[in-house]
Amino acid sequence: MKLPDDLTIRHTTPDDHPRVLAVLDRWWGEVGGSEGSRQRALLLPRLFFQHFTDSGFLVERDGEPVGFLIGFLSQSRADESYVHFVGVSPEARGHGLGRLLYQRFFDHSREHGRSRVRAITSTANLGSYGFHTRMGFAVEPGVTGPDGRQLHPDYDGPGLDRVAFVRAL
């Protein structure tokens, strides 16, 4: 996908942290109320905007966030990188912006000698599940859940089951 003329893409900076937090509730439709808002903010601490700027990407229109991807090159697994959090504004969804962000991250990962990318999603996030499988991610084997999908019980703590993905580059 070619980036439309009215959009720009660049690496994230520490100044982007409050700007990204400010759009999360609107982009996620305030799912989970105030507790959901708090959980989303906790998933994106400032450290990602300070220490992983080379592997984070922000798409803007007229200086306002339209999409972002926060990822990093694994320090422990030299052949892997990890997509931590991705968001695209509801108005921009369905036009390839998420795919473009992932392609930029895949390119960055390859340039740094990575051969695999990993990601997770909550078991309830069917949109994320579909997106990752369409992007060529394989679901990592786990326990068969009630809907037949593979999940990893308590992945992020008690009761926080996740679907884990891996994609070869």
Side-chain angles (χ1 to χ4, degrees):
M1 169 192 170
K2 180 184 177 297
L3 195 64
D5 291 338
D6 65 334
L7 298 179
T8 59
I9 188 168
R10 63 174 174 78
H11 290 288
T12 55
T13 71
D15 290 339
D16 295 322
H17 181 247
R19 298 173 62 234
V20 168
L21 290 183
V23 300
L24 291 182
D25 287 342
R26 184 171 53 82
W27 289 8
W28 268 262
E30 302 196 24
V31 172
S34 62
E35 179 58 22
S37 177
R38 189 179 77 78
Q39 288 179 19
R40 282 185 292 279
L42 288 172
L43 286 171
L44 280 173
R46 183 176 296 277
L47 71 91
F48 283 106
F49 295 83
Q50 293 171 320
H51 299 283
F52 299 100
T53 59
D54 290 346
S55 56
F57 298 92
L58 180 72
V59 176
E60 296 173 301
R61 176 182 291 123
D62 298 325
E64 294 300 316
V66 177
F68 66 90
L69 181 147
I70 303 299
F72 56 88
L73 305 173
S74 175
Q75 291 184 324
S76 301
R77 298 177 179 180
D79 61 337
E80 294 185 2
S81 58
Y82 186 84
V83 174
H84 175 67
F85 203 116
V86 180
V88 174
S89 74
E91 302 80 27
R93 291 180 191 154
H95 300 285
L97 190 54
R99 179 174 293 279
L100 179 129
L101 285 162
Y102 270 75
Q103 289 300 333
R104 289 286 176 105
F105 186 72
F106 294 161
D107 292 345
H108 176 78
S109 297
R110 278 188 208 94
E111 289 167 7
H112 288 84
R114 308 308 160 114
S115 61
R116 278 190 299 282
V117 175
R118 294 188 182 276
I120 63 166
T121 194
S122 72
T123 57
N125 194 337
L126 298 178
S128 175
Y129 182 91
F131 175 80
H132 282 90
T133 56
R134 286 190 304 276
M135 286 294 299
F137 282 85
V139 176
E140 294 196 78
V143 173
T144 302
D147 62 358
R149 290 184 298 141
Q150 296 292 296
L151 59 91
H152 297 262
D154 301 330
Y155 184 94
D156 277 331
L160 298 173
D161 304 345
R162 299 291 182 254
V163 176
F165 300 99
V166 64
R167 183 185 191 277
L169 291 180

